[in-house]
Amino acid sequence: MNKKVAVILAGCGVYDGSEIHEAVIALVSLDRGGAEVQCFAPDIPQMHVVNHLTGEVMEETRNVLVEAARIARGQIKPLTELKVEDFDALVLPGGFGAAKNLCDFATQGAEFQVRHDVLRAAQDFAEASKPVGLICISPVMAVKIYGEGVVCTLGDAGCDAAEAVRRLGAEVKGCAADQFVEDTERKLLTTPAYMVAQSLTEAATGIEKMIARLVALA
């Protein structure tokens, strides 16, 4: 019987949504692992829209669910429809959208909060002892999901993001882009991807290893 994995996206594009490479690599890895995947996203406006050619904020609004549908080829559902009992594992790719649309870490730092629907979904998997995979900047949310003592990585253990979540009680480990960190007690898997990756191959290798472990745990 195929494992069923939910993937929460945060839009489409590294600067204001889900990092497309990370999301697609995760989806391909899940498919290769024989998993049945369903994508979800909050049905909300993006924090802002960034011109990915210039890096400048644009004077327009976009919807996180609508933009994430680009990555999911339209096969996506509102996050409100995600039910933990229907799935064996959960994955959250990175990109600035994870820190802007799924939580407000990008603007609030250590004072950040995770969106209530994102937090509810992730905590449901944690409480059910089902594996969760967090990629790139998404592991900042681990301390909100699991509480103090959670083990995760953001790549460089001394970076600002790592210091911020460490102050909240997380144990943040250093990790190369082509590896991942496992919190065996909590079944939490994290990989830094483009937090430290210098190439697409480095990011892909770490994500592929993490996904293979996630599917094995599911």
Side-chain angles (χ1 to χ4, degrees):
M1 184 176 180
N2 290 350
K3 308 292 177 63
K4 295 184 178 180
V5 181
V7 177
I8 298 178
L9 299 175
C12 181
V14 60
Y15 298 127
D16 57 14
S18 287
E19 211 294 323
I20 298 171
H21 292 171
E22 294 173 358
V24 172
I25 292 164
L27 292 170
V28 170
S29 299
L30 287 165
D31 188 64
R32 284 178 174 165
E36 182 179 331
V37 178
Q38 177 62 58
C39 292
F40 296 87
D43 187 4
I44 58 171
Q46 290 183 186
M47 174 183 155
H48 58 200
V49 179
V50 176
N51 181 324
H52 279 58
L53 186 62
T54 65
E56 297 176 352
V57 175
M58 302 171 67
E59 293 298 323
E60 64 175 90
T61 59
R62 296 186 186 181
N63 179 278
V64 172
L65 177 62
V66 172
E67 291 301 296
R70 295 174 180 271
I71 297 174
R73 294 174 60 85
Q75 300 303 307
I76 194 167
K77 297 180 179 181
L79 184 54
T80 52
E81 296 184 18
L82 173 55
K83 297 180 180 179
V84 66
E85 58 266 28
D86 294 336
F87 296 93
D88 302 299
L90 174 69
V91 174
L92 277 70
F96 280 105
K100 294 176 177 179
N101 302 324
L102 303 186
C103 70
D104 58 6
F105 184 83
T107 57
Q108 302 302 314
E111 304 301 318
F112 81 105
Q113 297 295 323
V114 181
R115 275 190 55 85
H116 65 90
D117 48 358
V118 177
L119 185 61
R120 175 203 58 77
Q123 286 182 334
D124 283 349
F125 279 83
E127 291 168 4
S129 195
K130 294 183 176 182
V132 173
L134 303 177
I135 301 169
C136 191
I137 192 65
S138 291
V140 298
M141 290 184 273
V143 71
K144 298 290 188 177
I145 298 167
Y146 294 92
E148 294 185 10
V150 66
V151 180
C152 63
T153 189
L154 289 153
D156 178 0
C159 70
D160 290 345
E163 291 294 345
V165 295
R166 187 177 287 115
R167 290 198 297 272
L168 295 174
E171 180 182 342
V172 186
K173 294 187 174 183
C175 182
D178 61 356
Q179 300 297 324
F180 69 95
V181 167
E182 180 175 353
D183 184 328
T184 55
E185 178 184 345
R186 298 169 178 84
K187 294 187 180 178
L188 171 66
L189 309 170
T190 56
T191 189
Y194 279 115
M195 289 293 285
V196 293
Q198 298 300 306
S199 70
L200 177 58
T201 297
E202 281 187 355
T205 302
I207 294 169
E208 288 164 355
K209 289 178 179 178
M210 188 199 79
I211 294 296
R213 178 59 176 158
L214 178 120
V215 173
L217 287 172

